[in-house]
Amino acid sequence: GYYTIDFSYALNYASSLKFRDFPVEVKIGKHVLRADNERQLKGVLSLRKSSKGIRIMPVVKYPLIEAVVVGNRVVAALSIDEKNKTTKATMNSKLKEHIGRAIEFLGSDYGSVTLSENNIVDVSLSPNFALFEKKCRVDVSRILLEYLKKKTERNMSVIEGLFASLHGIIGRVT
């Protein structure tokens, strides 16, 4: 989706966007409105009276699948229906690999990817771990902490090896 924060910026941003595919959903806080063309999009944005962020994205087909990735591995997935009801979801290994690469491509160690009909419609680098933990009964936080610990240990051993090599070189020079 497209993200904006400042209201005046949002209006200018919306007028500069050349959406190829309308309709779009405009999410302002918990409210979701639909715009079928650029004129309606500007109208929807002008209704905003709060300091809530705005999210503009294509209208998606439900159910959505949202998956949390740690490293490049899917650790939990939810199915989301039109009424925002969530249930645990399953997916095939090829789709899991595709989702894992999306987060890896962004250079992040974790995040979530939302799919509609196997197309990525949203990526978040701040997923709601508590929701995934409750619905999927997976301790996502623990998995992330263990992953980061292992990654840090690997990085530290590489750094220690570099320092040892440098010390060996410097020691021979002096």
Side-chain angles (χ1 to χ4, degrees), residues 90-122:
T90 58
M91 58 185 66
N92 65 45
S93 59
K94 190 160 183 100
L95 190 55
K96 286 182 179 181
E97 183 182 327
H98 177 65
I99 292 170
R101 279 187 279 152
I103 295 298
E104 189 176 52
F105 179 76
L106 293 173
S108 182
D109 288 318
Y110 67 95
S112 70
V113 176
T114 305
L115 303 166
S116 172
E117 297 183 320
N118 293 339
N119 296 309
I120 295 175
V121 294
D122 192 30

PDB file of all heavy atoms in Angstrom, residues 90-122:
ATOM      1  N   THR A  90      -2.865 -22.324   6.800  1.00  0.00           N
ATOM      2  CA  THR A  90      -1.752 -23.147   6.336  1.00  0.00           C
ATOM      3  C   THR A  90      -1.440 -22.746   4.898  1.00  0.00           C
ATOM      4  O   THR A  90      -2.298 -22.198   4.198  1.00  0.00           O
ATOM      5  CB  THR A  90      -2.102 -24.651   6.375  1.00  0.00           C
ATOM      6  OG1 THR A  90      -3.255 -24.875   5.559  1.00  0.00           O
ATOM      7  CG2 THR A  90      -2.365 -25.113   7.787  1.00  0.00           C
ATOM      8  N   MET A  91      -0.203 -22.984   4.486  1.00  0.00           N
ATOM      9  CA  MET A  91       0.185 -22.664   3.107  1.00  0.00           C
ATOM     10  C   MET A  91       1.251 -23.633   2.647  1.00  0.00           C
ATOM     11  O   MET A  91       1.934 -24.249   3.468  1.00  0.00           O
ATOM     12  CB  MET A  91       0.644 -21.213   2.996  1.00  0.00           C
ATOM     13  CG  MET A  91       1.803 -20.836   3.879  1.00  0.00           C
ATOM     14  SD  MET A  91       2.206 -19.089   3.814  1.00  0.00           S
ATOM     15  CE  MET A  91       0.773 -18.364   4.525  1.00  0.00           C
ATOM     16  N   ASN A  92       1.399 -23.743   1.339  1.00  0.00           N
ATOM     17  CA  ASN A  92       2.377 -24.687   0.802  1.00  0.00           C
ATOM     18  C   ASN A  92       3.798 -24.133   0.910  1.00  0.00           C
ATOM     19  O   ASN A  92       4.002 -22.939   1.132  1.00  0.00           O
ATOM     20  CB  ASN A  92       2.035 -25.082  -0.642  1.00  0.00           C
ATOM     21  CG  ASN A  92       2.133 -23.919  -1.609  1.00  0.00           C
ATOM     22  OD1 ASN A  92       3.085 -23.148  -1.588  1.00  0.00           O
ATOM     23  ND2 ASN A  92       1.148 -23.795  -2.473  1.00  0.00           N
ATOM     24  N   SER A  93       4.776 -24.991   0.749  1.00  0.00           N
ATOM     25  CA  SER A  93       6.177 -24.614   0.956  1.00  0.00           C
ATOM     26  C   SER A  93       6.656 -23.588  -0.073  1.00  0.00           C
ATOM     27  O   SER A  93       7.456 -22.715   0.253  1.00  0.00           O
ATOM     28  CB  SER A  93       7.080 -25.840   0.945  1.00  0.00           C
ATOM     29  OG  SER A  93       6.957 -26.523  -0.275  1.00  0.00           O
ATOM     30  N   LYS A  94       6.172 -23.672  -1.299  1.00  0.00           N
ATOM     31  CA  LYS A  94       6.586 -22.709  -2.326  1.00  0.00           C
ATOM     32  C   LYS A  94       6.119 -21.292  -1.963  1.00  0.00           C
ATOM     33  O   LYS A  94       6.854 -20.323  -2.104  1.00  0.00           O
ATOM     34  CB  LYS A  94       6.043 -23.125  -3.682  1.00  0.00           C
ATOM     35  CG  LYS A  94       6.614 -22.317  -4.816  1.00  0.00           C
ATOM     36  CD  LYS A  94       6.433 -23.055  -6.122  1.00  0.00           C
ATOM     37  CE  LYS A  94       7.065 -22.293  -7.239  1.00  0.00           C
ATOM     38  NZ  LYS A  94       8.363 -22.772  -7.625  1.00  0.00           N
ATOM     39  N   LEU A  95       4.885 -21.186  -1.468  1.00  0.00           N
ATOM     40  CA  LEU A  95       4.361 -19.890  -1.047  1.00  0.00           C
ATOM     41  C   LEU A  95       5.123 -19.365   0.166  1.00  0.00           C
ATOM     42  O   LEU A  95       5.449 -18.178   0.237  1.00  0.00           O
ATOM     43  CB  LEU A  95       2.871 -20.019  -0.737  1.00  0.00           C
ATOM     44  CG  LEU A  95       2.101 -18.730  -0.509  1.00  0.00           C
ATOM     45  CD1 LEU A  95       2.258 -17.780  -1.684  1.00  0.00           C
ATOM     46  CD2 LEU A  95       0.635 -19.048  -0.272  1.00  0.00           C
ATOM     47  N   LYS A  96       5.448 -20.246   1.110  1.00  0.00           N
ATOM     48  CA  LYS A  96       6.244 -19.844   2.280  1.00  0.00           C
ATOM     49  C   LYS A  96       7.593 -19.293   1.851  1.00  0.00           C
ATOM     50  O   LYS A  96       8.061 -18.281   2.380  1.00  0.00           O
ATOM     51  CB  LYS A  96       6.448 -21.027   3.230  1.00  0.00           C
ATOM     52  CG  LYS A  96       5.233 -21.400   4.022  1.00  0.00           C
ATOM     53  CD  LYS A  96       5.570 -22.554   4.948  1.00  0.00           C
ATOM     54  CE  LYS A  96       4.393 -22.946   5.784  1.00  0.00           C
ATOM     55  NZ  LYS A  96       4.722 -24.061   6.700  1.00  0.00           N
ATOM     56  N   GLU A  97       8.221 -19.923   0.894  1.00  0.00           N
ATOM     57  CA  GLU A  97       9.519 -19.470   0.393  1.00  0.00           C
ATOM     58  C   GLU A  97       9.402 -18.080  -0.248  1.00  0.00           C
ATOM     59  O   GLU A  97      10.224 -17.202  -0.012  1.00  0.00           O
ATOM     60  CB  GLU A  97      10.055 -20.476  -0.629  1.00  0.00           C
ATOM     61  CG  GLU A  97      11.426 -20.149  -1.167  1.00  0.00           C
ATOM     62  CD  GLU A  97      11.866 -21.167  -2.211  1.00  0.00           C
ATOM     63  OE1 GLU A  97      11.497 -22.348  -2.095  1.00  0.00           O
ATOM     64  OE2 GLU A  97      12.569 -20.754  -3.139  1.00  0.00           O
ATOM     65  N   HIS A  98       8.357 -17.885  -1.029  1.00  0.00           N
ATOM     66  CA  HIS A  98       8.084 -16.601  -1.694  1.00  0.00           C
ATOM     67  C   HIS A  98       7.922 -15.485  -0.654  1.00  0.00           C
ATOM     68  O   HIS A  98       8.496 -14.408  -0.777  1.00  0.00           O
ATOM     69  CB  HIS A  98       6.825 -16.760  -2.548  1.00  0.00           C
ATOM     70  CG  HIS A  98       6.357 -15.538  -3.251  1.00  0.00           C
ATOM     71  ND1 HIS A  98       7.084 -14.926  -4.238  1.00  0.00           N
ATOM     72  CD2 HIS A  98       5.219 -14.819  -3.109  1.00  0.00           C
ATOM     73  CE1 HIS A  98       6.403 -13.877  -4.684  1.00  0.00           C
ATOM     74  NE2 HIS A  98       5.278 -13.794  -4.013  1.00  0.00           N
ATOM     75  N   ILE A  99       7.161 -15.769   0.399  1.00  0.00           N
ATOM     76  CA  ILE A  99       6.917 -14.786   1.457  1.00  0.00           C
ATOM     77  C   ILE A  99       8.205 -14.479   2.217  1.00  0.00           C
ATOM     78  O   ILE A  99       8.506 -13.326   2.513  1.00  0.00           O
ATOM     79  CB  ILE A  99       5.822 -15.301   2.413  1.00  0.00           C
ATOM     80  CG1 ILE A  99       4.483 -15.329   1.682  1.00  0.00           C
ATOM     81  CG2 ILE A  99       5.735 -14.453   3.666  1.00  0.00           C
ATOM     82  CD1 ILE A  99       3.397 -16.045   2.435  1.00  0.00           C
ATOM     83  N   GLY A 100       8.970 -15.515   2.538  1.00  0.00           N
ATOM     84  CA  GLY A 100      10.238 -15.319   3.243  1.00  0.00           C
ATOM     85  C   GLY A 100      11.191 -14.436   2.466  1.00  0.00           C
ATOM     86  O   GLY A 100      11.861 -13.567   3.031  1.00  0.00           O
ATOM     87  N   ARG A 101      11.232 -14.614   1.155  1.00  0.00           N
ATOM     88  CA  ARG A 101      12.122 -13.788   0.326  1.00  0.00           C
ATOM     89  C   ARG A 101      11.685 -12.326   0.305  1.00  0.00           C
ATOM     90  O   ARG A 101      12.516 -11.440   0.167  1.00  0.00           O
ATOM     91  CB  ARG A 101      12.204 -14.353  -1.087  1.00  0.00           C
ATOM     92  CG  ARG A 101      13.193 -15.510  -1.172  1.00  0.00           C
ATOM     93  CD  ARG A 101      13.412 -15.952  -2.580  1.00  0.00           C
ATOM     94  NE  ARG A 101      12.269 -16.823  -2.896  1.00  0.00           N
ATOM     95  CZ  ARG A 101      11.772 -17.014  -4.096  1.00  0.00           C
ATOM     96  NH1 ARG A 101      12.285 -16.434  -5.125  1.00  0.00           N
ATOM     97  NH2 ARG A 101      10.751 -17.816  -4.275  1.00  0.00           N
ATOM     98  N   ALA A 102      10.388 -12.061   0.435  1.00  0.00           N
ATOM     99  CA  ALA A 102       9.903 -10.678   0.429  1.00  0.00           C
ATOM    100  C   ALA A 102      10.483  -9.896   1.604  1.00  0.00           C
ATOM    101  O   ALA A 102      10.960  -8.775   1.436  1.00  0.00           O
ATOM    102  CB  ALA A 102       8.375 -10.645   0.471  1.00  0.00           C
ATOM    103  N   ILE A 103      10.474 -10.485   2.790  1.00  0.00           N
ATOM    104  CA  ILE A 103      11.027  -9.805   3.971  1.00  0.00           C
ATOM    105  C   ILE A 103      12.541  -9.710   3.850  1.00  0.00           C
ATOM    106  O   ILE A 103      13.141  -8.675   4.150  1.00  0.00           O
ATOM    107  CB  ILE A 103      10.607 -10.540   5.265  1.00  0.00           C
ATOM    108  CG1 ILE A 103       9.091 -10.458   5.450  1.00  0.00           C
ATOM    109  CG2 ILE A 103      11.346  -9.983   6.477  1.00  0.00           C
ATOM    110  CD1 ILE A 103       8.530  -9.064   5.604  1.00  0.00           C
ATOM    111  N   GLU A 104      13.168 -10.773   3.392  1.00  0.00           N
ATOM    112  CA  GLU A 104      14.621 -10.779   3.205  1.00  0.00           C
ATOM    113  C   GLU A 104      15.034  -9.691   2.217  1.00  0.00           C
ATOM    114  O   GLU A 104      16.019  -8.988   2.419  1.00  0.00           O
ATOM    115  CB  GLU A 104      15.041 -12.156   2.693  1.00  0.00           C
ATOM    116  CG  GLU A 104      16.521 -12.396   2.655  1.00  0.00           C
ATOM    117  CD  GLU A 104      16.826 -13.821   2.223  1.00  0.00           C
ATOM    118  OE1 GLU A 104      16.316 -14.252   1.173  1.00  0.00           O
ATOM    119  OE2 GLU A 104      17.573 -14.479   2.957  1.00  0.00           O
ATOM    120  N   PHE A 105      14.257  -9.515   1.150  1.00  0.00           N
ATOM    121  CA  PHE A 105      14.531  -8.497   0.140  1.00  0.00           C
ATOM    122  C   PHE A 105      14.536  -7.097   0.742  1.00  0.00           C
ATOM    123  O   PHE A 105      15.309  -6.234   0.336  1.00  0.00           O
ATOM    124  CB  PHE A 105      13.497  -8.588  -0.985  1.00  0.00           C
ATOM    125  CG  PHE A 105      13.675  -7.560  -2.056  1.00  0.00           C
ATOM    126  CD1 PHE A 105      14.674  -7.693  -3.007  1.00  0.00           C
ATOM    127  CD2 PHE A 105      12.850  -6.449  -2.110  1.00  0.00           C
ATOM    128  CE1 PHE A 105      14.850  -6.745  -4.000  1.00  0.00           C
ATOM    129  CE2 PHE A 105      13.018  -5.490  -3.099  1.00  0.00           C
ATOM    130  CZ  PHE A 105      14.021  -5.640  -4.047  1.00  0.00           C
ATOM    131  N   LEU A 106      13.684  -6.878   1.736  1.00  0.00           N
ATOM    132  CA  LEU A 106      13.617  -5.573   2.392  1.00  0.00           C
ATOM    133  C   LEU A 106      14.769  -5.350   3.367  1.00  0.00           C
ATOM    134  O   LEU A 106      14.925  -4.270   3.910  1.00  0.00           O
ATOM    135  CB  LEU A 106      12.288  -5.420   3.135  1.00  0.00           C
ATOM    136  CG  LEU A 106      11.057  -5.345   2.240  1.00  0.00           C
ATOM    137  CD1 LEU A 106       9.789  -5.359   3.086  1.00  0.00           C
ATOM    138  CD2 LEU A 106      11.096  -4.104   1.368  1.00  0.00           C
ATOM    139  N   GLY A 107      15.571  -6.387   3.582  1.00  0.00           N
ATOM    140  CA  GLY A 107      16.720  -6.256   4.477  1.00  0.00           C
ATOM    141  C   GLY A 107      16.351  -6.370   5.938  1.00  0.00           C
ATOM    142  O   GLY A 107      17.115  -5.957   6.812  1.00  0.00           O
ATOM    143  N   SER A 108      15.197  -6.938   6.219  1.00  0.00           N
ATOM    144  CA  SER A 108      14.761  -7.066   7.606  1.00  0.00           C
ATOM    145  C   SER A 108      14.908  -8.508   8.079  1.00  0.00           C
ATOM    146  O   SER A 108      14.914  -9.440   7.283  1.00  0.00           O
ATOM    147  CB  SER A 108      13.297  -6.632   7.728  1.00  0.00           C
ATOM    148  OG  SER A 108      12.871  -6.709   9.070  1.00  0.00           O
ATOM    149  N   ASP A 109      15.018  -8.674   9.397  1.00  0.00           N
ATOM    150  CA  ASP A 109      15.098 -10.006   9.982  1.00  0.00           C
ATOM    151  C   ASP A 109      13.720 -10.572  10.294  1.00  0.00           C
ATOM    152  O   ASP A 109      13.585 -11.755  10.572  1.00  0.00           O
ATOM    153  CB  ASP A 109      15.929  -9.977  11.267  1.00  0.00           C
ATOM    154  CG  ASP A 109      17.401  -9.772  10.973  1.00  0.00           C
ATOM    155  OD1 ASP A 109      17.907 -10.385  10.027  1.00  0.00           O
ATOM    156  OD2 ASP A 109      18.036  -8.983  11.707  1.00  0.00           O
ATOM    157  N   TYR A 110      12.700  -9.722  10.291  1.00  0.00           N
ATOM    158  CA  TYR A 110      11.346 -10.182  10.583  1.00  0.00           C
ATOM    159  C   TYR A 110      10.338  -9.213   9.975  1.00  0.00           C
ATOM    160  O   TYR A 110      10.670  -8.102   9.586  1.00  0.00           O
ATOM    161  CB  TYR A 110      11.109 -10.304  12.093  1.00  0.00           C
ATOM    162  CG  TYR A 110      11.122  -8.979  12.795  1.00  0.00           C
ATOM    163  CD1 TYR A 110       9.941  -8.290  13.040  1.00  0.00           C
ATOM    164  CD2 TYR A 110      12.317  -8.397  13.202  1.00  0.00           C
ATOM    165  CE1 TYR A 110       9.951  -7.062  13.671  1.00  0.00           C
ATOM    166  CE2 TYR A 110      12.337  -7.174  13.841  1.00  0.00           C
ATOM    167  CZ  TYR A 110      11.151  -6.510  14.072  1.00  0.00           C
ATOM    168  OH  TYR A 110      11.166  -5.294  14.684  1.00  0.00           O
ATOM    169  N   GLY A 111       9.110  -9.660   9.906  1.00  0.00           N
ATOM    170  CA  GLY A 111       8.030  -8.826   9.383  1.00  0.00           C
ATOM    171  C   GLY A 111       6.844  -9.705   9.045  1.00  0.00           C
ATOM    172  O   GLY A 111       6.846 -10.904   9.299  1.00  0.00           O
ATOM    173  N   SER A 112       5.835  -9.086   8.455  1.00  0.00           N
ATOM    174  CA  SER A 112       4.693  -9.868   7.996  1.00  0.00           C
ATOM    175  C   SER A 112       4.372  -9.483   6.560  1.00  0.00           C
ATOM    176  O   SER A 112       4.642  -8.370   6.129  1.00  0.00           O
ATOM    177  CB  SER A 112       3.473  -9.677   8.902  1.00  0.00           C
ATOM    178  OG  SER A 112       2.943  -8.379   8.752  1.00  0.00           O
ATOM    179  N   VAL A 113       3.816 -10.439   5.857  1.00  0.00           N
ATOM    180  CA  VAL A 113       3.424 -10.252   4.466  1.00  0.00           C
ATOM    181  C   VAL A 113       1.960 -10.648   4.350  1.00  0.00           C
ATOM    182  O   VAL A 113       1.558 -11.695   4.868  1.00  0.00           O
ATOM    183  CB  VAL A 113       4.285 -11.122   3.523  1.00  0.00           C
ATOM    184  CG1 VAL A 113       3.818 -11.011   2.085  1.00  0.00           C
ATOM    185  CG2 VAL A 113       5.754 -10.739   3.640  1.00  0.00           C
ATOM    186  N   THR A 114       1.166  -9.793   3.701  1.00  0.00           N
ATOM    187  CA  THR A 114      -0.246 -10.089   3.493  1.00  0.00           C
ATOM    188  C   THR A 114      -0.477 -10.386   2.024  1.00  0.00           C
ATOM    189  O   THR A 114      -0.011  -9.644   1.157  1.00  0.00           O
ATOM    190  CB  THR A 114      -1.126  -8.907   3.944  1.00  0.00           C
ATOM    191  OG1 THR A 114      -0.812  -8.586   5.305  1.00  0.00           O
ATOM    192  CG2 THR A 114      -2.602  -9.256   3.844  1.00  0.00           C
ATOM    193  N   LEU A 115      -1.203 -11.464   1.783  1.00  0.00           N
ATOM    194  CA  LEU A 115      -1.474 -11.914   0.419  1.00  0.00           C
ATOM    195  C   LEU A 115      -2.966 -11.899   0.130  1.00  0.00           C
ATOM    196  O   LEU A 115      -3.776 -12.183   1.011  1.00  0.00           O
ATOM    197  CB  LEU A 115      -0.985 -13.345   0.224  1.00  0.00           C
ATOM    198  CG  LEU A 115       0.473 -13.626   0.508  1.00  0.00           C
ATOM    199  CD1 LEU A 115       0.706 -15.124   0.593  1.00  0.00           C
ATOM    200  CD2 LEU A 115       1.326 -13.030  -0.574  1.00  0.00           C
ATOM    201  N   SER A 116      -3.295 -11.585  -1.108  1.00  0.00           N
ATOM    202  CA  SER A 116      -4.642 -11.746  -1.635  1.00  0.00           C
ATOM    203  C   SER A 116      -4.483 -12.525  -2.933  1.00  0.00           C
ATOM    204  O   SER A 116      -3.810 -12.055  -3.853  1.00  0.00           O
ATOM    205  CB  SER A 116      -5.292 -10.389  -1.899  1.00  0.00           C
ATOM    206  OG  SER A 116      -6.520 -10.551  -2.578  1.00  0.00           O
ATOM    207  N   GLU A 117      -5.070 -13.702  -2.984  1.00  0.00           N
ATOM    208  CA  GLU A 117      -4.946 -14.568  -4.165  1.00  0.00           C
ATOM    209  C   GLU A 117      -3.477 -14.772  -4.567  1.00  0.00           C
ATOM    210  O   GLU A 117      -3.107 -14.626  -5.723  1.00  0.00           O
ATOM    211  CB  GLU A 117      -5.738 -13.998  -5.332  1.00  0.00           C
ATOM    212  CG  GLU A 117      -7.225 -13.916  -5.069  1.00  0.00           C
ATOM    213  CD  GLU A 117      -7.994 -13.424  -6.266  1.00  0.00           C
ATOM    214  OE1 GLU A 117      -7.531 -12.500  -6.958  1.00  0.00           O
ATOM    215  OE2 GLU A 117      -9.075 -13.982  -6.504  1.00  0.00           O
ATOM    216  N   ASN A 118      -2.635 -15.036  -3.601  1.00  0.00           N
ATOM    217  CA  ASN A 118      -1.197 -15.289  -3.799  1.00  0.00           C
ATOM    218  C   ASN A 118      -0.415 -14.086  -4.305  1.00  0.00           C
ATOM    219  O   ASN A 118       0.728 -14.217  -4.731  1.00  0.00           O
ATOM    220  CB  ASN A 118      -0.958 -16.491  -4.711  1.00  0.00           C
ATOM    221  CG  ASN A 118      -1.406 -17.782  -4.068  1.00  0.00           C
ATOM    222  OD1 ASN A 118      -1.534 -17.871  -2.852  1.00  0.00           O
ATOM    223  ND2 ASN A 118      -1.653 -18.782  -4.869  1.00  0.00           N
ATOM    224  N   ASN A 119      -1.002 -12.895  -4.278  1.00  0.00           N
ATOM    225  CA  ASN A 119      -0.293 -11.664  -4.623  1.00  0.00           C
ATOM    226  C   ASN A 119      -0.042 -10.873  -3.349  1.00  0.00           C
ATOM    227  O   ASN A 119      -0.939 -10.722  -2.521  1.00  0.00           O
ATOM    228  CB  ASN A 119      -1.117 -10.805  -5.590  1.00  0.00           C
ATOM    229  CG  ASN A 119      -1.323 -11.490  -6.911  1.00  0.00           C
ATOM    230  OD1 ASN A 119      -0.369 -11.960  -7.524  1.00  0.00           O
ATOM    231  ND2 ASN A 119      -2.564 -11.568  -7.348  1.00  0.00           N
ATOM    232  N   ILE A 120       1.164 -10.350  -3.203  1.00  0.00           N
ATOM    233  CA  ILE A 120       1.489  -9.544  -2.025  1.00  0.00           C
ATOM    234  C   ILE A 120       0.755  -8.213  -2.122  1.00  0.00           C
ATOM    235  O   ILE A 120       0.883  -7.494  -3.099  1.00  0.00           O
ATOM    236  CB  ILE A 120       3.013  -9.317  -1.915  1.00  0.00           C
ATOM    237  CG1 ILE A 120       3.724 -10.648  -1.678  1.00  0.00           C
ATOM    238  CG2 ILE A 120       3.324  -8.323  -0.790  1.00  0.00           C
ATOM    239  CD1 ILE A 120       5.236 -10.553  -1.683  1.00  0.00           C
ATOM    240  N   VAL A 121      -0.035  -7.903  -1.087  1.00  0.00           N
ATOM    241  CA  VAL A 121      -0.761  -6.639  -1.052  1.00  0.00           C
ATOM    242  C   VAL A 121      -0.286  -5.730   0.070  1.00  0.00           C
ATOM    243  O   VAL A 121      -0.601  -4.545   0.082  1.00  0.00           O
ATOM    244  CB  VAL A 121      -2.292  -6.847  -0.951  1.00  0.00           C
ATOM    245  CG1 VAL A 121      -2.829  -7.508  -2.210  1.00  0.00           C
ATOM    246  CG2 VAL A 121      -2.681  -7.636   0.292  1.00  0.00           C
ATOM    247  N   ASP A 122       0.485  -6.274   1.007  1.00  0.00           N
ATOM    248  CA  ASP A 122       0.973  -5.440   2.097  1.00  0.00           C
ATOM    249  C   ASP A 122       2.160  -6.129   2.762  1.00  0.00           C
ATOM    250  O   ASP A 122       2.232  -7.354   2.806  1.00  0.00           O
ATOM    251  CB  ASP A 122      -0.127  -5.220   3.136  1.00  0.00           C
ATOM    252  CG  ASP A 122       0.212  -4.127   4.138  1.00  0.00           C
ATOM    253  OD1 ASP A 122       0.942  -3.186   3.784  1.00  0.00           O
ATOM    254  OD2 ASP A 122      -0.277  -4.206   5.280  1.00  0.00           O
TER     255      ASP A 122
END
